[in-house]
Amino acid sequence: MKSFNYKKHNDYSWSMIIDLDRCNGCGACVIGCQAENNVATVGEEEVGKKRNMHWLRIERYIEGEYPHVKVRFLPMMCQHCAQAPCESVCPVYATYHNPEGLNVQVYNRCIGTRFCGNNCPYSVRYFNWFDSSFPEPVNNQLNPDVSVRERGVMEKCSLCMQRIRRGKDTAKDEGREVQDGDIQPACAQTCPTGAITFGNINDHESKVYKMAHSGRAISLFEEKGTHPAVKYLKGGTNDVIG
Amino acid sequence: MSDHYTVLGLYRKVETITKAGDPIREAFGVKDGDIEVLSSAAYPDGALLDDKELLHQVESRQFLFPFLMGFVGFGAGVILAGGTGYIMNLIVGGKSPFTYAPTGVITYEFTLLFGVIGSVLSLLYYAGLPNWTDRAYDPEVADGALGLLVKVYSKEDQEKAAKIMEDYGAYKIKKGVNDF
Amino acid sequence: MSLDDNVKRSADAGVAGGHHGDVMALPEIESFRDPETKAAKAHYDDADIYRDEKGFNEHTLRPMFFTTKSYFIFTLALGLVMAQGLGFFVYQTFVGLGMAGIHEPVYWGAYIATFVFWVGMSHSGTIVSSILRLTQANWRRPILRAAEAMTAFSLMVAGLFPLIHVGRLWRAYYMVPLPSQRMLWPNFKSPLMWDFCAINIYLTGSMTFLYIGLLPDLAVARDKAIAMGNWRRHYLKVLALGWRGSHREWSVYNKCSLFLAVIILLIAPSVHTIVSWDFAMTMTPGWHTTIFGPYFVVGAIYSGIAAVITLMITLRILFNLDDVIRKFHIDALGKLLLVIAIIWTYFYFCEFITNWYSHKPEEWEVMAWQGHRFPYHLMVMLGGSCLTIFCLSWRRFRSCMPCMFALTLLVNCGMYIERYLIVVPILSRRDNPFMWTDYTPTITEVGIIVASFAYFIFLYAIFIKLFPIVTMADVKEGVIVSGDVRLGRHAVRVQVKE
């Protein structure tokens, strides 16, 4: 019987740090994620019905009145909680915690009860309301490493599991451990300001470990006790210049 | 297997049928299982026929069916909820694969399910149902007549029983062979 | 079977097989049966109505054997409503759940609210058959069958909704806990799996209860069908299992009914508690509260009894069962409904005042949204329950059929609204404020939900034509175990209780 902090005994424990001071809300990470993971574009009407499928979304919190407006940007994706509320409520084990600290979603097991989506306090789980369509020539852009989900399954950020796999395979081929910086999810790769950092928090030399222990690191909804693997660095301001 | 003969006497009133039961028994030494009263509604136990010994035996054992099946259900619930959690060693929500409370819930439900099954089995077993063969019966019983059915082992006894029943007020007698 | 026989029967037979000792020698009974006396009008009795059992049998089996043209038209209309629902459902299955109005974060909408409503309605039969049987309330006798049928059918309808709202219906069998070639088992820690087990077990139990209760009446119906050469005799003969009504069968049957009543009584509250745990086990503010277990059970009993009253009045009018289902029965059910209405209002108030008083921001937001978006719904629900408590306090109201019919329909409307208000506003205002939204059901959902109501009535209509709708054996037993005793100047009806 494993306890929830069993990951400490494993080699890898993936974590992501998002520096809120550097995020300027450009949204490039959203596009990068969509391109990498074959995320469907649902169209204007469906987005109007709040059915957008952005695995990573930029939340904007606006304070103040014009012209003294302050906007805060919060890139929100699956927090990969160690005590994920979504995992225990799935009736068919379509989502569980893998030994490397990721909350994985098994698309072909999911029957679409959407209980996990209800129980996520961050509301980061997305449901395929229709079949996704990738008409010509967009289908040429699909990533062969990632499946295209059919209608009726839940999906969410997987911390680019396919890139983690590739990184681990490459390291194995070369007979070494994965080094810090080997694996970059699409959002981290795309971010122009370098706000997103990914790495193995079990490696005490890694950037994410140092950032997580920097004193600026917070977890969202910490009072809910979900112990997310994604942490945010607070501090600084995001004033609109001018 | 030797043949047995049945006599079914229909009565209209309760007091007449209650008076007819004992003489029949005395005349033929009828064992408890061989005499029955047919009615369209449930009379209190022992109201129509003095059958307490047999009924008490049945009653005391009937409870065992749902009770023992309840234990089977308990085991089934533990194996299903707890056992499958144990073999599917997946961490969900930071919880251990084997949890007590959800196993308890499922065990409770399955205990009750098997209790239901046990109750039905007890009914089928002790009442000898289903029995779709042509048995001694008259549709007038459904309309309120009370029937006294006795099983005897010779034709002369059959005639004698029919006579006794008529003496005690049966308005209709039906005789049969091998249809108790 | 005249009245005198009844009286002498209990005297001769010895009350309850002699358990209570000798009954006092009965004096001559004055004409308590004179319908003009006030006591006779107010009091419950069957004896003088059913002077002959044959007439009673034919009267109560009449709805089963004789079908009018309006029945076929009605059933056809129901079939059309069901067909449109089926059409929407097929379309939704092939195009995707996007046809329904649900979206992030309101992942459960009207389907789940209706599901909970139907599961709640299923408590009707359990309460009437189990609790009233165990407390030996004599007025349960004519209504047992109809109530138990209601339980079974509302569970059948409720069981459809998890299949309707699931994203991949063709893979829904993943939830079935049977060993498979995939070597995967479902997750029993999930409240949905508890739901799956509990509802199926309750369905099995209540179908069994219904069938066992039907056995003696099936025998009577079988005899009638054989005598009439009716087509029903084929299946009635099989289903009656060769029941003869021997005293041994009756004794075993009574014991089995007792076991089943107790077990169903244990199952029923657990089922609705488990359904409530679909909500209470989450960390959503507004749902994560311990009161949901008992609150849902009481709400279920509330809507169940109201539905039983509605149904009884309908049956009374449609099938001329005025003398079987009498004002006395509706009056007694009304009293029970009054008690449950008070308990439900108490639970609702508990939930409201704890949320309101502690002013936790997330729960306050949920309440404010409920009040802002659904003010009229709240008024209907709460006004309905207060009106219920007020009106049901008067015997004149309880004995008035149209009033009770309208009130119980209002109660059930209120309870449907309550389920809706539990599911939708709370999901609209979940933890993450960026995702707060509104929800409106689409025509697909409305069509399917209306079809579910039609399906329920349809199942009931089919049931009435295939099986006896009045528990004849119980009513006859009620006549057998009651008699009259003189107390001073009055003649009082007494009953045997075990």
Side-chain angles (χ1 to χ4, degrees):
Chain A
M1 315 275 191
K2 299 177 183 169
S3 63
F4 80 83
N5 46 6
Y6 69 97
K7 66 181 181 182
K8 292 204 171 74
H9 310 296
N10 277 274
D11 286 331
Y12 302 112
S13 172
W14 304 113
S15 179
M16 180 180 273
I17 308 283
I18 299 180
D19 192 341
L20 292 177
D21 208 11
R22 292 186 182 218
C23 175
N24 58 9
C26 66
C29 49
V30 179
I31 307 297
C33 171
Q34 187 260 333
E36 168 77 12
N37 292 295
N38 304 338
V39 178
T41 40
V42 295
E44 188 178 342
E45 196 190 325
E46 287 294 301
V47 174
K49 291 186 203 166
K50 260 234 160 27
R51 288 189 179 153
N52 48 322
M53 300 283 289
H54 300 142
W55 285 14
L56 167 62
R57 63 174 184 259
I58 306 293
E59 299 190 346
R60 303 183 315 277
Y61 293 101
I62 299 171
E63 294 172 22
E65 298 288 321
Y66 183 83
H68 309 287
V69 186
K70 213 196 284 191
V71 187
R72 300 186 191 281
F73 299 105
L74 187 67
M76 179 67 88
M77 73 293 222
C78 173
Q79 307 281 291
H80 295 275
C81 313
Q83 273 194 303
C86 61
E87 289 167 356
S88 30
V89 294
C90 175
V92 289
Y93 280 127
T95 173
Y96 66 93
H97 219 70
N98 85 353
E100 294 183 351
L102 293 177
N103 178 324
V104 301
Q105 179 76 25
V106 185
Y107 304 127
N108 47 0
R109 180 74 174 161
C110 175
I111 57 174
T113 53
R114 306 184 300 285
F115 201 165
C116 57
N118 272 337
N119 214 12
C120 176
Y122 310 97
S123 300
V124 283
R125 285 179 152 270
Y126 298 93
F127 186 71
N128 283 281
W129 301 103
F130 298 105
D131 277 323
S132 39
S133 66
F134 295 96
E136 294 272 342
V138 180
N139 60 340
N140 290 318
Q141 178 254 327
L142 289 173
N143 186 345
D145 288 338
V146 181
S147 60
V148 174
R149 281 75 59 190
E150 71 166 336
R151 67 179 187 280
V153 297
M154 295 292 285
E155 61 183 36
K156 63 175 184 65
C157 162
S158 60
L159 285 185
C160 284
M161 168 78 97
Q162 65 278 6
R163 293 189 176 202
I164 295 176
R165 282 267 162 77
R166 181 165 290 181
K168 281 166 67 180
D169 281 347
T170 315
K172 194 175 71 139
D173 288 343
E174 294 171 9
R176 58 171 175 86
E177 296 280 312
V178 171
Q179 280 160 12
D180 195 33
D182 263 357
I183 302 171
Q184 276 215 306
C187 51
Q189 182 189 15
T190 326
C191 178
T193 54
I196 304 182
T197 321
F198 178 82
N200 173 14
I201 206 167
N202 274 350
D203 176 4
H204 290 265
E205 305 302 317
S206 66
K207 284 210 285 264
V208 290
Y209 181 85
K210 296 201 180 101
M211 285 181 176
H213 289 83
S214 68
R216 285 173 63 206
I218 56 163
S219 308
L220 293 182
F221 283 138
E222 195 161 346
E223 70 274 12
K224 300 233 180 254
T226 50
H227 299 283
V230 173
K231 297 196 184 349
Y232 292 79
L233 299 182
K234 66 178 183 334
T237 53
N238 280 334
D239 287 33
V240 174
I241 297 172
Chain B
M1 285 277 289
S2 60
D3 291 340
H4 66 260
Y5 301 88
T6 59
V7 185
L8 171 65
L10 296 181
Y11 297 78
R12 284 202 207 283
K13 295 197 179 181
V14 170
E15 56 267 21
T16 39
I17 196 174
T18 48
K19 295 200 174 76
D22 288 331
I24 296 270
R25 258 228 194 90
E26 282 163 17
F28 305 103
V30 169
K31 296 197 305 290
D32 271 333
D34 287 348
I35 184 167
E36 280 187 0
V37 180
L38 308 182
S39 60
S40 65
Y43 281 80
D45 281 350
L48 295 176
L49 188 71
D50 182 12
D51 210 0
K52 292 250 262 302
E53 291 303 317
L54 170 72
L55 290 182
H56 179 70
Q57 249 189 6
V58 167
E59 250 180 64
S60 58
R61 283 205 228 120
Q62 196 179 353
F63 165 68
L64 283 182
F65 272 72
F67 188 68
L68 294 177
M69 288 292 273
F71 281 105
V72 172
F74 188 90
V78 172
I79 288 174
L80 199 58
T84 61
Y86 195 68
I87 61 177
M88 297 268 290
N89 215 350
L90 292 172
I91 306 287
V92 282
K95 300 181 177 57
S96 153
F98 175 84
T99 43
Y100 289 102
T103 308
V105 172
I106 300 288
T107 306
Y108 177 81
E109 294 295 324
F110 274 82
T111 310
L112 294 176
L113 171 70
F114 279 75
V116 166
I117 297 175
S119 306
V120 175
L121 287 179
S122 78
L123 170 69
L124 297 181
Y125 178 72
Y126 281 112
L129 300 172
N131 189 336
W132 290 295
T133 57
D134 265 325
R135 295 195 289 170
Y137 179 68
D138 190 296
E140 284 194 36
V141 170
D143 282 334
L146 297 161
L148 181 65
L149 178 67
V150 70
K151 173 178 171 187
V152 291
Y153 294 94
S154 68
K155 257 211 144 40
E156 303 81 46
D157 284 344
Q158 198 184 34
E159 301 294 329
K160 265 199 335 196
K163 180 95 184 23
I164 296 178
M165 284 198 195
E166 264 173 11
D167 288 341
Y168 278 94
Y171 71 88
K172 184 172 171 190
I173 303 280
K174 274 170 90 160
K175 299 192 195 133
V177 183
N178 282 339
D179 58 0
F180 184 70
Chain C
M1 253 206 276
S2 72
L3 165 66
D4 299 329
D5 277 1
N6 286 346
V7 168
K8 288 186 191 155
R9 216 184 271 164
S10 29
D12 283 354
V15 176
H19 295 161
H20 294 274
D22 289 327
V23 170
M24 292 178 284
L26 291 178
E28 314 145 25
I29 298 302
E30 63 187 18
S31 61
F32 186 69
R33 298 285 152 260
D34 180 3
E36 295 308 312
T37 60
K38 187 166 171 222
K41 275 192 210 149
H43 208 87
Y44 162 84
D45 83 73
D46 295 304
D48 62 345
I49 308 295
Y50 313 124
R51 278 194 193 286
D52 66 318
E53 199 164 316
K54 187 169 169 143
F56 172 69
N57 284 347
E58 279 170 10
H59 181 66
T60 46
L61 285 176
R62 200 168 179 71
M64 181 174 159
F65 283 106
F66 295 102
T67 317
T68 57
K69 201 153 65 148
S70 51
Y71 173 82
F72 287 110
I73 297 177
F74 179 66
T75 322
L76 187 65
L78 285 178
L80 287 175
V81 176
M82 283 178 2
Q84 62 91 30
L86 187 66
F88 275 124
F89 171 62
V90 170
Y91 190 53
Q92 182 190 273
T93 307
F94 283 102
V95 171
L97 259 176
M99 297 311 300
I102 32 184
H103 51 269
E104 164 113 67
V106 183
Y107 271 130
W108 285 348
Y111 287 145
I112 294 296
T114 316
F115 164 70
V116 180
F117 174 75
W118 282 118
V119 175
M121 182 95 92
S122 73
H123 275 53
S124 51
T126 314
I127 302 310
V128 171
S129 0
S130 307
I131 293 189
L132 296 185
R133 203 183 281 240
L134 290 174
T135 54
Q136 297 176 14
N138 226 33
W139 50 269
R140 76 180 188 274
R141 291 183 188 276
I143 59 182
L144 283 175
R145 173 76 28 71
E148 285 163 23
M150 243 177 91
T151 296
F153 297 145
S154 59
L155 278 175
M156 280 168 68
V157 176
L160 288 180
F161 276 97
L163 299 175
I164 293 174
H165 101 284
V166 139
R168 291 207 298 170
L169 169 65
W170 50 97
R171 299 266 179 245
Y173 60 87
Y174 284 168
M175 280 214 289
V176 178
L178 289 176
S180 71
Q181 185 226 12
R182 286 183 301 281
M183 292 166 53
L184 292 176
W185 291 90
N187 176 15
F188 282 103
K189 300 183 211 34
S190 164
L192 291 185
M193 272 312 292
W194 307 342
D195 245 2
F196 176 79
C197 292
I199 290 186
N200 280 314
I201 288 173
Y202 192 24
L203 181 61
T204 313
S206 62
M207 287 284 195
T208 309
F209 201 22
L210 179 65
Y211 177 62
I212 299 292
L214 262 175
L215 262 184
D217 294 344
L218 284 177
V220 177
R222 166 199 66 193
D223 293 339
K224 291 280 169 262
I226 292 177
M228 286 165 46
N230 193 291
W231 60 271
R232 291 175 179 80
R233 68 184 186 275
H234 299 290
Y235 70 82
L236 283 174
K237 192 153 182 285
V238 172
L239 288 175
L241 300 182
W243 176 269
R244 282 197 301 193
S246 77
H247 70 291
R248 185 200 176 103
E249 283 172 4
W250 280 117
S251 166
V252 174
Y253 171 83
N254 279 337
K255 262 238 144 355
C256 174
S257 288
L258 177 68
F259 296 151
L260 282 178
V262 171
I263 294 178
I264 291 282
L265 191 59
L266 289 174
I267 292 182
S270 80
V271 168
H272 214 57
T273 309
I274 285 173
V275 170
S276 81
W277 285 343
D278 280 351
F279 308 116
M281 294 286 155
T282 64
M283 17 163 48
T284 319
W287 272 0
H288 190 66
T289 157
T290 52
I291 207 176
F292 263 24
Y295 178 47
F296 270 55
V297 173
V298 172
I301 299 176
Y302 187 33
S303 75
I305 296 185
V308 169
I309 296 176
T310 315
L311 183 70
M312 290 306 125
I313 297 177
T314 315
L315 288 178
R316 207 183 113 101
I317 296 173
L318 282 182
F319 297 110
N320 282 331
L321 292 172
D322 281 15
D323 43 358
V324 181
I325 299 172
R326 273 179 265 121
K327 289 194 177 177
F328 172 82
H329 297 109
I330 306 294
D331 180 31
L333 277 171
K335 280 188 241 178
L336 188 57
L337 186 62
L338 171 64
V339 171
I340 302 294
I342 293 175
I343 299 179
W344 181 82
T345 312
Y346 155 72
F347 269 109
Y348 185 85
F349 183 69
C350 282
E351 208 215 335
F352 170 78
I353 197 174
T354 47
N355 280 350
W356 172 82
Y357 198 96
S358 56
H359 213 302
K360 257 173 115 169
E362 50 265 27
E363 289 169 7
W364 184 264
E365 186 58 47
V366 165
M367 269 179 46
W369 176 244
Q370 262 187 5
H372 170 75
R373 171 82 168 81
F374 300 104
Y376 300 114
H377 302 75
L378 276 172
M379 265 169 20
V380 168
M381 181 176 82
L382 294 172
S385 92
C386 294
L387 189 70
T388 309
I389 295 174
F390 180 74
C391 291
L392 287 178
S393 312
W394 311 105
R395 179 188 289 253
R396 275 185 98 176
F397 188 91
R398 288 198 300 265
S399 308
C400 158
M401 295 295 135
C403 315
M404 286 298 278
F405 188 78
L407 183 72
T408 51
L409 277 183
L410 177 68
V411 165
N412 269 324
C413 282
M415 289 314 286
Y416 186 85
I417 289 172
E418 188 243 346
R419 272 36 179 272
Y420 191 84
L421 287 181
I422 283 178
V423 175
V424 171
I426 292 177
L427 287 179
S428 304
R429 290 290 183 265
R430 269 173 46 200
D431 288 294
N432 194 338
F434 187 74
M435 299 297 275
W436 285 352
T437 182
D438 194 5
Y439 162 79
T440 323
T442 55
I443 186 74
T444 312
E445 289 170 293
V446 172
I448 293 180
I449 289 171
V450 169
S452 79
F453 281 87
Y455 182 46
F456 174 73
I457 302 175
F458 180 76
L459 283 173
Y460 220 92
I462 301 288
F463 183 80
I464 291 180
K465 288 302 162 197
L466 292 182
F467 298 102
I469 195 64
V470 174
T471 29
M472 301 183 288
D474 276 89
V475 173
K476 292 176 195 173
E477 190 189 355
V479 172
I480 290 168
V481 301
S482 36
D484 291 304
V485 164
R486 169 170 289 176
L487 285 180
R489 286 175 50 236
H490 296 293
V492 182
R493 178 128 268 220
V494 296
Q495 269 131 29
V496 171
K497 296 211 188 232
E498 297 297 315

